[in-house]
Amino acid sequence: MTVKHDRTSGFYNQSLETMSVSQRAEYLDAALRKIVAHAYENAPAIRSKFDQNGVRPQDIKSVRDLERLPITHKHELAALQEKDPPFGGFLGLPRNRLKRICMSPGPIYEPEPIENNNDRWTQAFFAAGFRKGDVGQITFSYHLVPPAFWFEDALHALGCIAIPGGVGNTELQARMMHDLKVTGYVGTPSFLATIAQKARELGYDPRKDLDLEVGFVSGEMLPESLRSELEDTFGMVVRQGYGTADVGCLAYECYHKDGMHIPYNCIVEIVDPDTGKQLGPGETGAVVATVFDKVYPMIRFGTGDLSYITDEPCACGRTNPRIVKILGRLDQVTKVKGMFIHPGNADDVAARFEEIERYQVVVDRRGHVDEMTFVVELKPGVEPSDALRQRIEAAIPQAMRVRGKVRFVSPGTLPEDLKKIDDRRTWE
Ligand SMILES: [Zn+2]
């Protein structure tokens, strides 16, 4: 029996991960002022963003001041790069300081510097449970796109060995995992499930014959049911991270998997998608990132994802606020009574009640007032009751921050291909 690492506690950088609210604000404001000065000086796209809006670099003193700048949306990047190739004016360092250029669909080119001070993915890997001496098998693509390289850098920074598995080759991947005594998996959760199946076909018992203890997954949604299936199958801890090819890591889970901590060295704003104004904890809005990487200094980059943040304490001791979960894409959002709601919020309501079989949120207008109705089909054998109605109606504002009524309908009423949020309002 080998001595196992403690993968459940500790910090990658304790002093920066446990800052008080005021220390964190001070830290981020100082880093913001620095990157703004650098970006304005070196990246023409950032300079024109400031100039066109009549904002001077010295006007941006704190995170709150970012509201004065427009958001650069992900979907604009390809066009900006085409106009001013290859980096759209966002390159913040001379080209001879680059070590790698990747390409994401768009096409969008992403520069990486020789000296990389960006340890955000390393924080994520430590929090997931990776420790010095781990052997990590990376099953993301090693062609064109950046994640596999980022994750290799993170493994190396923690003193781990990286196995460049790449995509596919499931049988080889399962063999390597066995032969090389791989302790860490890096890839999508669904591919890990595929490897489990292949391992069994090869005659391995995934729990006994493989050495996996920790997994870092990303790139797709991680349903809790799949997480626990993988954890049981391999006897491992599976944690996830969130980021984009343009800005890198924006959030990661710790052992307590109660939302995803925002790395100490970047700014994530949740904003009103219409006005760009910052929203408070618990309010659903667009995820906007500002990163401190001199090579590609994105300032107010709109990821197109929708989420909300909590600043409640986490059992791990990290004080970094957490993205509670990614609800989905911005284009699925609906505004009701001034609040943004998303199918993911509605799923949160339904998930609290075993009795609910299917549901649909109907948004309508009575006079000039929005009305939201949660139309519910109950599981076979469950009778609609006033008590259940009241319990669901109490849960709706907790998950969606908007009040709504519940209407029970008989099984088979809701269409098969239903839109989770059916907006029936007209605006004549
Ligand atoms: Zn935590």
Side-chain angles (χ1 to χ4, degrees):
M1 180 82 192
T2 50
V3 179
K4 299 213 170 180
H5 292 290
D6 172 16
R7 301 186 187 278
T8 64
S9 62
F11 302 93
Y12 170 66
N13 187 327
Q14 183 161 8
S15 61
L16 292 173
E17 287 170 322
T18 59
M19 288 186 281
S20 67
V21 173
S22 61
Q23 284 171 328
R24 187 172 302 286
E26 209 173 297
Y27 178 90
L28 290 176
D29 290 348
L32 177 62
R33 289 193 292 267
K34 239 166 112 177
I35 195 66
V36 161
H38 172 87
Y40 187 86
E41 200 55 45
N42 295 282
I46 302 285
R47 180 186 283 258
S48 65
K49 181 166 167 163
F50 275 73
D51 291 350
Q52 280 168 18
N53 289 279
V55 180
R56 297 166 309 162
Q58 57 268 35
D59 295 331
I60 306 297
K61 296 188 180 68
S62 71
V63 173
R64 177 57 76 175
D65 297 328
L66 282 170
E67 287 186 343
R68 300 183 57 177
L69 290 167
I71 291 162
T72 303
H73 294 282
K74 186 178 173 67
H75 59 79
E76 297 168 32
L77 264 191
L80 285 169
Q81 291 198 345
E82 203 180 311
K83 235 169 69 186
D84 181 10
F87 300 115
F90 286 97
L91 188 66
L93 290 176
R95 277 180 79 117
N96 63 7
R97 302 267 299 273
L98 302 184
K99 74 167 176 189
R100 187 183 292 130
I101 298 172
C102 289
M103 188 189 82
S104 294
I108 297 171
Y109 296 104
E110 289 112 8
E112 280 184 57
I114 296 165
E115 302 141 73
N116 192 358
N117 305 317
N118 170 357
D119 63 6
R120 286 178 279 133
W121 288 115
T122 316
Q123 296 168 51
F125 273 58
F126 186 94
F130 280 82
R131 298 291 181 269
K132 188 175 165 55
D134 273 323
V135 181
Q137 188 162 328
I138 299 175
T139 66
F140 283 104
S141 173
Y142 276 83
H143 286 135
L144 302 174
V145 293
F149 299 100
W150 289 338
F151 299 155
E152 259 207 46
D153 289 348
L155 287 175
H156 291 155
L158 289 178
C160 306
I161 298 171
I163 312 293
V167 295
N169 298 303
T170 318
E171 184 170 333
L172 281 177
Q173 302 257 20
R175 277 190 197 286
M176 281 202 292
M177 211 168 252
H178 172 263
D179 297 348
L180 301 176
K181 299 199 183 311
V182 168
T183 53
Y185 170 83
V186 182
T188 63
S190 58
F191 190 59
L192 184 54
T194 306
I195 290 180
Q197 200 183 346
K198 183 58 78 178
R200 288 197 188 94
E201 283 168 30
L202 294 172
Y204 301 135
D205 175 336
R207 202 178 244 272
K208 289 204 193 102
D209 301 327
L210 300 179
D211 296 275
L212 281 187
E213 292 180 24
V214 59
F216 177 83
V217 299
S218 195
E220 59 186 30
M221 290 286 185
L222 174 63
E224 283 307 319
S225 56
L226 178 56
R227 188 207 305 262
S228 38
E229 183 192 312
L230 294 170
E231 291 188 331
D232 285 352
T233 300
F234 291 99
M236 70 191 295
V237 173
V238 174
R239 294 294 177 268
Q240 64 184 328
Y242 162 69
T244 84
D246 324 277
V247 288
C249 179
L250 296 180
Y252 58 82
E253 283 181 331
C254 65
Y255 180 70
H256 300 276
K257 55 178 177 177
D258 184 14
M260 295 184 282
H261 290 284
I262 297 166
Y264 62 79
N265 46 355
C266 70
I267 295 168
V268 173
E269 300 167 81
I270 300 292
V271 308
D272 180 318
D274 291 341
T275 65
K277 294 282 176 221
Q278 294 168 5
L279 299 173
E283 292 182 284
T284 295
V287 178
V288 172
T290 295
V291 296
F292 307 143
D293 306 325
K294 285 184 170 176
V295 66
Y296 202 46
M298 287 291 160
I299 300 195
R300 290 209 113 191
F301 174 76
T303 62
D305 290 318
L306 206 70
S307 188
Y308 58 103
I309 280 181
T310 178
D311 52 7
E312 298 280 314
C314 182
C316 71
R318 286 177 185 79
T319 53
N320 327 25
R322 309 192 294 290
I323 285 183
V324 178
K325 69 191 263 199
I326 298 299
L327 295 165
R329 297 294 292 173
L330 203 52
D331 47 19
Q332 296 173 292
V333 75
T334 310
K335 200 171 191 179
V336 180
K337 293 182 189 170
M339 301 298 296
F340 292 96
I341 64 163
H342 186 275
N345 296 119
D347 287 340
D348 285 350
V349 176
R352 298 178 190 201
F353 297 94
E354 281 185 355
E355 297 92 335
I356 295 179
E357 173 85 16
R358 292 160 70 73
Y359 74 88
Q360 183 174 42
V361 175
V362 175
V363 182
D364 217 330
R365 235 166 137 74
R366 182 169 302 233
H368 292 290
V369 181
D370 292 333
E371 259 187 5
M372 186 171 83
T373 310
F374 224 80
V375 183
V376 173
E377 277 184 23
L378 295 170
K379 288 235 165 79
V382 181
E383 287 300 319
S385 68
D386 280 340
L388 180 58
R389 181 201 320 278
Q390 282 160 16
R391 275 169 47 222
I392 301 174
E393 284 179 353
I396 291 170
Q398 288 169 25
M400 308 183 76
R401 296 179 66 94
V402 178
R403 300 205 155 273
K405 289 205 167 72
V406 168
R407 180 156 58 88
F408 294 119
V409 294
S410 46
T413 311
L414 293 174
E416 272 306 318
D417 57 342
L418 59 76
K419 265 169 68 183
K420 278 197 178 150
I421 298 179
D422 183 8
D423 191 349
R424 298 181 185 168
R425 291 171 295 186
T426 51
W427 305 95
E428 290 94 58

